[in-house]
């Protein structure tokens, strides 16, 4: 028993420093990224929040796909060897700007050291910024540049959404989360992702049900943009919010929406977006076919498609995070 008490005391002493160290490292990483965005904003006149949005989108792809290497530096933008050095270049990891140019590669020297290294943060960000700049520096031309580069409407929407969030808050430090309903409210939930569901045809349950009384406030869990709002035959009154991790957060069976919530609106953790209800499974206005609860789902976009994943571990973590803040 004494040993346990000692261990607890030791942990209580060292754990804040561990958390602080981790927070300090993250703060330094954000500071470094912002320095790079601002540097190349000055050079290319591409506003920093566009560069941050592209970088964040690509970083998310690299974490969600197995065919892309995980990011190692501060910048997450990825160029393949063929893109960077040129498809016919015999030197796959060429760092010479002159020969890269001869073979049609995109790689450029962004820090003036005479080399174009596709693993160097400054070279990578400068190369992307120069590509965007070749189309123009206003919003419409940047949008055209993004389309020509990615050729996917959804990708353009995600990047421009990220841009709006960064521009609105003026910072990269947007990692805070909140639980979907007030922690002090009378609610309950368990892991129901993947369970069988029969309404509207046999399928799996793509979310976690949080049971609470009618009218309990429903809150945004993350920084993001309202992507959809309205009625769905199965989900009833529902809202969809896209965050900076390319993740779509789906809130269904609402009793109603918070005043002023509209598609395209920027939200932040804890912001009230609606209330718990039992709407759905019928034409607009249908309700009461099941106990009031919030269906909370999460979907990841990987640049090709979107799929559901289990929100339960995230909900548990966000509840702990919110309690710790208080």
């Amino acid at each position: 028993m004494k040993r346990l008490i000692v261990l607890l005391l030791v942990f209580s002493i060292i754990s804040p420093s561990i958390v602080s160290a981790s927070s300090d490292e993250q703060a330094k990483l954000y500071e470094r990224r912002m320095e790079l965005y601002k540097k190349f904003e000055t050079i290319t006149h591409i506003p920093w929040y566009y560069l941050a949005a592209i970088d964040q989108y690509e970083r998310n792809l690299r974490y969600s796909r197995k065919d892309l290497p995980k990011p190692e530096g501060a910048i997450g933008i990825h160029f393949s060897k063929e893109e960077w050095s040129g498809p016919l270049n015999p030197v796959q990891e060429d760092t010479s700007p002159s020969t890269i140019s001869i073979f049609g590669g995109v790689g450029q020297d962004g820090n003036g050291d005479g080399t174009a290294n596709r693993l160097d943060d400054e070279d990578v960000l400068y190369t992307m910024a120069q590509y965007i700049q070749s189309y123009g520096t206003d919003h419409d031309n940047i949008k055209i540049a993004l389309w020509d580069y990615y050729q996917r409407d959804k990708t353009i929407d995600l990047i421009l959404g990220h841009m709006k969030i960064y521009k609105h808050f003026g910072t990269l430090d947007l990692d805070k989360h909140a639980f979907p309903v007030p922690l002090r409210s009378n609610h309950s939930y368990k892991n129901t992702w993947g369970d069988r569901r029969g309404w509207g045809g046999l399928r799996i349950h793509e979310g976690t049900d949080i049971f609470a009384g009618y009218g309990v406030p429903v809150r945004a869990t993350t920084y993001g943009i309202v992507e959809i709002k309205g009625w769905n035959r199965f989900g009833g009154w529902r809202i969809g919010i896209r965050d900076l991790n390319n993740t779509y957060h789906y809130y269904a069976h609402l009793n109603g929406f918070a005043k002023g919530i509209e598609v395209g609106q920027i939200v932040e953790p804890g912001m009230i977006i609606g209330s718990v209800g039992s709407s759905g499974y019928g034409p607009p206005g249908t309700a009461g076919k099941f106990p009031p609860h919030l269906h909370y789902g999460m979907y990841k976009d990987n640049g090709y498609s979107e799929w559901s994943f289990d929100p339960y571990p995230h909900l548990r973590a966000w509840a702990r995070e919110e309690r710790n803040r208080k």
Side-chain angles (χ1 to χ4, degrees):
M1 184 66 181
K2 289 182 179 179
R3 183 183 178 188
L4 176 60
I5 294 173
V6 170
L7 287 173
L8 289 173
L9 287 172
V10 170
F11 181 77
S12 68
I13 293 171
I14 66 172
S15 59
S17 63
I18 294 174
V19 173
S20 177
S22 177
S23 299
D24 288 344
E25 289 174 4
Q26 190 65 41
K28 289 178 181 178
L29 181 58
Y30 286 146
E31 184 179 355
R32 173 57 178 160
R33 285 177 186 159
M34 185 63 85
E35 287 176 356
L36 292 171
Y37 300 150
K38 291 285 190 176
K39 174 181 178 178
F40 293 112
E41 175 186 52
T42 301
I43 294 173
T44 65
H45 305 293
I46 304 296
W48 72 267
Y49 37 82
Y50 285 99
L51 300 176
I54 296 168
D55 183 37
Q56 180 65 7
Y57 172 78
E58 293 230 351
R59 183 178 298 105
N60 290 325
L61 292 190
R62 296 175 71 173
Y63 279 121
S64 63
R65 280 167 47 180
K66 294 181 179 179
D67 62 327
L68 294 174
K70 298 298 180 284
E72 296 181 1
I75 299 300
I77 296 170
H78 173 69
F79 292 99
S80 67
K81 297 176 182 178
E82 294 75 16
E83 287 178 296
W84 188 264
S85 301
L88 299 179
N89 194 331
V91 182
Q92 288 192 331
E93 292 288 4
D94 197 353
T95 61
S96 170
S98 58
T99 54
I100 287 175
S101 178
I102 290 172
F103 286 102
V106 299
Q108 298 191 46
D109 175 13
N111 55 15
D113 65 356
T115 64
N117 185 343
R118 74 182 187 92
L119 301 180
D120 182 277
D121 288 333
E122 292 187 89
D123 291 351
V124 168
L125 188 58
Y126 179 68
T127 297
M128 177 59 78
Q130 281 288 87
Y131 168 80
I132 300 294
Q133 187 194 42
S134 68
Y135 285 76
T137 58
D138 63 285
H139 178 80
D140 290 339
N141 281 312
I142 291 175
K143 190 173 180 180
I144 293 171
L146 292 173
W147 165 252
D148 284 349
Y149 189 81
Y150 293 103
Q151 298 195 1
R152 180 177 180 246
D153 288 332
K154 187 64 179 179
T155 293
I156 312 309
D157 291 340
L158 293 181
I159 292 175
L160 294 182
H162 296 352
M163 178 275 294
K164 291 178 182 177
I165 295 171
Y166 284 131
K167 182 179 180 182
H168 179 82
F169 291 104
T171 181
L172 302 177
D173 188 5
L174 301 172
D175 293 330
K176 187 176 74 172
H177 294 88
F179 194 70
V181 298
L183 292 180
R184 293 185 178 181
S185 65
N186 185 13
H187 66 272
S188 64
Y189 68 105
K190 61 181 181 179
N191 194 350
T192 56
W193 189 83
D195 289 356
R196 287 166 58 95
R197 288 292 186 268
W199 286 95
L202 188 63
R203 63 188 188 281
I204 68 166
H205 188 231
E206 295 184 344
T208 293
D209 289 334
I210 302 174
F211 289 89
Y214 281 106
V216 169
V218 171
R219 310 183 299 172
T221 58
T222 183
Y223 295 94
I225 288 185
V226 177
E227 203 167 271
I228 64 164
K229 170 197 170 187
W231 181 268
N232 175 277
R233 180 184 174 190
F234 300 117
W237 300 116
R238 88 300 194 219
I239 286 180
I241 295 174
R242 181 75 59 175
D243 72 11
L244 287 166
N245 294 316
N246 298 354
T247 301
Y248 178 75
H249 302 254
Y250 181 67
Y251 306 74
H253 307 314
L254 300 177
N255 192 46
F257 305 110
K259 185 178 180 180
I261 291 292
E262 299 294 343
V263 171
Q265 181 174 348
I266 296 172
V267 299
E268 57 185 294
M271 181 176 175
I272 297 176
I273 59 174
S275 58
V276 173
S278 62
S279 61
Y281 299 111
T286 303
K289 291 188 175 182
F290 44 78
H293 69 278
L294 170 68
H295 170 94
Y296 186 83
M298 296 177 71
Y299 299 78
K300 177 68 72 175
D301 186 283
N302 68 356
Y304 294 128
S305 60
E306 195 166 68
W307 75 93
S308 167
F309 62 96
D310 188 0
Y312 183 76
H314 298 273
L315 293 170
R316 294 289 300 272
W318 297 341
R320 287 195 301 268
E321 178 186 330
E322 190 172 347
R323 289 192 186 97
N324 291 337
R325 283 200 304 270
K326 293 180 178 180

